[in-house]
Amino acid sequence: MAQASGAFGLTDGFDDDAPSFGGLGNMILPPDAIASHAGVIDAIDGIVAQHDGEARRNAVIALLSSTWEDARARVTTALHDRPGAGLRAARAYAHATDIVVAGAVHHVIKHLHPAPVRTQGERLSIIAVGGYGRGEMAPFSDVDLLFLTPLRRTAWAESVVETLLYLMWDLKLKIGQSTRSIAESLRYAGEDWTIRTNLLEMRLVAGDTEPFETLSARLWNDLFLKTGPQFVAAKLAERDRRHERHGGSRYLLEPNVKEGKGGLRDLQTLHWISRYLYRVDKAWELC
């Protein structure tokens, strides 16, 4: 078993590359020590078997709320023990969110809007985008989701998305969301650099794989691979405007550590450019 050294000589004591639900890996705790996907699904099915109506809804909300709060508390405790493991903690927060979102999706699709026979157009992918898609979340980050359909939205997909949003709002999640078809996603990505950057980091959390895989392939083949220089120019221009807004210097007495010169957003810009040009997920893949 790999031993990954953390800050101050600490070790995590588990497989550094162990995949989580959602494929995040490399977290501050083993994935199942944070939250268990299988455990949440089994618990939801058990609630449905025992309760009806409002009692069922309240019990599901209570389960998902406690799962989320308990998982975040475990991550926070681990971060106190390993204060240099911020990135691993951020991935662990994303993992906890994955489990809650996937649990909500399971409940809505299996128990509230079951459709044993769905047409090809009724496939639905629930996709994390932006920082959540990258797998890096602060404790109170927005949960940015794309509800993706192969074609235009069907009545079933609209009902599922609406019910999901109400459920996640009841869980007090800060949801940023859009519902689009593959064609709409491609069109918006072609017109807007921010949307394109968000989709660059998209990650499937729940639902059907086909729409997600189709969009990913078309984004790379039809857009990303053909517009590398334009993307670099756009992101560098965006960086320059951002620096101007935040003082234009890395030596400010009170710098903005996220948006200012030399801050987190600059590191993310380097990541976006390297991923866009070379299709890499980690900096050392460029070596």
Side-chain angles (χ1 to χ4, degrees):
M1 181 174 291
Q3 295 285 327
S5 296
F8 312 112
L10 297 173
T11 61
D12 293 321
F14 65 93
D15 186 350
D16 193 45
D17 296 317
S20 68
F21 172 79
L24 295 171
N26 199 20
M27 292 182 290
I28 198 168
L29 290 170
D32 281 351
I34 301 168
S36 167
H37 176 242
V40 167
I41 298 304
D42 288 345
I44 288 173
D45 290 344
I47 288 171
V48 170
Q50 297 175 26
H51 300 282
D52 291 312
E54 193 66 21
R56 174 195 292 182
R57 177 180 175 80
N58 291 339
V60 169
I61 290 172
L63 168 70
L64 294 177
S65 293
S66 64
T67 298
W68 196 53
E69 293 297 337
D70 291 349
R72 294 200 306 162
R74 295 184 191 105
V75 174
T76 300
T77 300
L79 186 58
H80 287 159
D81 295 335
R82 303 179 178 89
L87 181 57
R88 295 185 180 194
R91 293 193 183 112
Y93 286 125
H95 171 71
T97 307
D98 283 356
I99 301 304
V100 172
V101 170
V105 171
H106 172 79
H107 179 56
V108 170
I109 290 180
K110 182 175 180 180
H111 299 298
L112 299 182
H113 297 288
V117 179
R118 285 187 281 150
T119 67
Q120 189 65 25
E122 290 178 317
R123 304 299 175 188
L124 179 66
S125 298
I126 293 84
I127 299 170
V129 296
Y132 177 35
R134 188 170 61 250
E136 297 174 9
M137 298 187 75
F140 300 99
S141 291
D142 291 354
V143 181
D144 293 325
L145 294 170
L146 168 63
F147 299 101
L148 182 69
T149 59
L151 306 169
R152 63 183 180 181
R153 291 177 289 281
T154 64
W156 176 83
E158 289 182 344
S159 296
V160 167
V161 171
E162 181 180 14
T163 305
L164 267 173
L165 288 175
Y166 277 113
L167 180 57
M168 290 189 284
W169 288 331
D170 284 343
L171 293 170
K172 305 296 188 284
L173 298 178
K174 295 191 294 181
I175 303 295
Q177 61 87 24
S178 57
T179 305
R180 296 177 184 144
S181 68
I182 291 172
E184 288 173 331
S185 299
L186 289 166
R187 183 172 74 251
Y188 291 137
E191 298 170 350
D192 188 290
W193 295 109
T194 299
I195 292 175
R196 192 180 306 191
T197 304
N198 283 339
L199 291 178
L200 180 66
E201 300 182 302
M202 69 178 189
R203 181 172 55 86
L204 182 67
V205 175
D208 298 294
T209 61
E210 283 185 46
F212 170 80
E213 291 175 347
T214 300
L215 177 60
S216 180
R218 292 192 61 186
L219 282 169
W220 282 102
N221 295 331
D222 300 347
L223 186 59
F224 295 166
L225 295 177
K226 297 178 180 179
T227 56
Q230 296 94 318
F231 182 82
V232 173
K235 299 315 287 185
L236 293 180
E238 179 185 280
R239 177 205 60 183
D240 292 342
R241 292 192 298 270
R242 176 167 42 78
H243 287 172
E244 290 178 7
R245 291 197 305 271
H246 294 281
S249 172
R250 62 178 58 86
Y251 301 113
L252 298 174
L253 291 177
E254 296 183 2
N256 186 313
V257 296
K258 179 178 180 180
E259 303 285 353
K261 196 168 188 176
L264 176 62
R265 192 67 78 197
D266 282 357
L267 296 176
Q268 291 171 343
T269 298
L270 290 173
H271 165 75
W272 294 327
I273 289 173
S274 63
R275 177 160 175 76
Y276 202 99
L277 292 180
Y278 304 110
R279 206 167 180 173
V280 297
D281 290 321
K282 303 176 179 66
W284 53 84
E285 293 178 22
L286 294 169
C287 300

